[in-house]
Amino acid sequence: DGKWGAVGMRGGQVGIFSLGSPGTPRWVAQHKNRVNAIVFDRAGSFLGAAGEDNVVTLANIPGGGVKELHGHRHQVLTLAFSPSGKLLASAGEDREVIVWDPASGTELYRLDREGRKALIFVGFNSSETTLLAVDESGIISEWDVKNRARLRQLQDSDKTVDSAAINFSGTLLAVGSEFTAMQGGRVSPL
């Protein structure tokens, strides 16, 4: 039915399962240790997983097969597919954003940013023109995807961020910190 769930385990296993029929997951990838993040592309064709082993795995759901994407120097904490599924962004403790081509598994480019804390969130807007990243210190960076240029960088007022999320249209960003339950705001165009 195309409705899949995914699970990432402390032991590094990455599995998928049908939401319509409970049972043991089908294991599709293996990391050396804990899985930090998992994400499907919108079509349900690819499942990305990020691990403490500095690796991003990319499983092709209908066709089988797994690619290991190497490029990070420290553990990867967050992943995001672009809405079309043609791009995959990864980020983490090495404070770098890497943009990958999921079809080939090749690194396309890295995005330049300022900040000394781990990146905990990446996300694309609905038109795939911009990419946002949020780090643990509340620095929010935005890049032009086509030109790879940083458009802006701002600091959240709380300075300690635990989580972040963007809506499907890419117009709202929510930030959760230890000091406030959650803050939300519009992602306004420049």
Side-chain angles (χ1 to χ4, degrees):
D1 61 1
K3 294 180 181 177
W4 296 97
V7 61
M9 307 296 285
R10 286 185 181 169
Q13 303 94 334
V14 179
I16 61 170
F17 55 91
S18 173
L19 294 177
S21 61
T24 304
R26 176 170 58 110
W27 302 111
V28 295
Q30 178 69 47
H31 285 262
K32 290 179 182 166
N33 44 28
R34 183 179 147 169
V35 175
N36 291 326
I38 52 178
V39 63
F40 282 105
D41 70 336
R42 286 192 183 179
S45 300
F46 289 103
L47 174 67
E52 285 184 347
D53 58 2
N54 313 342
V55 175
V56 174
T57 54
L58 192 59
N60 182 323
I61 302 303
V66 176
K67 295 176 184 154
E68 286 191 358
L69 311 181
H70 297 270
H72 285 281
R73 293 174 285 120
H74 298 285
Q75 68 176 309
V76 185
L77 301 173
T78 182
L79 297 169
F81 278 101
S82 64
S84 70
K86 293 180 180 178
L87 299 172
L88 172 67
S90 61
E93 285 192 347
D94 58 9
R95 303 179 310 272
E96 292 187 295
V97 176
I98 301 177
V99 179
W100 310 87
D101 174 359
S104 66
T106 58
E107 180 181 319
L108 297 174
Y109 53 87
R110 292 172 187 244
L111 296 171
D112 178 41
R113 65 176 282 280
E114 295 172 16
R116 296 187 175 145
K117 296 287 187 170
L119 289 163
I120 60 165
F121 171 81
V122 289
F124 291 89
N125 71 346
S126 62
S127 59
E128 298 184 26
T129 56
T130 62
L131 174 69
L132 289 174
V134 179
D135 78 9
E136 291 174 324
S137 68
I139 294 176
I140 302 167
S141 303
E142 181 179 21
W143 293 272
D144 178 303
V145 172
K146 184 178 179 182
N147 299 318
R148 304 175 193 160
R150 189 174 54 204
L151 299 172
R152 61 184 159 176
Q153 189 163 291
L154 55 113
Q155 175 80 46
D156 179 66
S157 61
D158 283 339
K159 298 187 180 166
T160 303
V161 174
D162 297 319
S163 61
I166 194 167
N167 67 342
F168 285 116
S169 65
T171 57
L172 296 173
L173 176 68
V175 177
S177 73
E178 65 184 62
F179 300 110
T180 59
M182 184 173 68
Q183 292 183 11
R186 290 211 165 272
V187 179
S188 59
L190 295 175

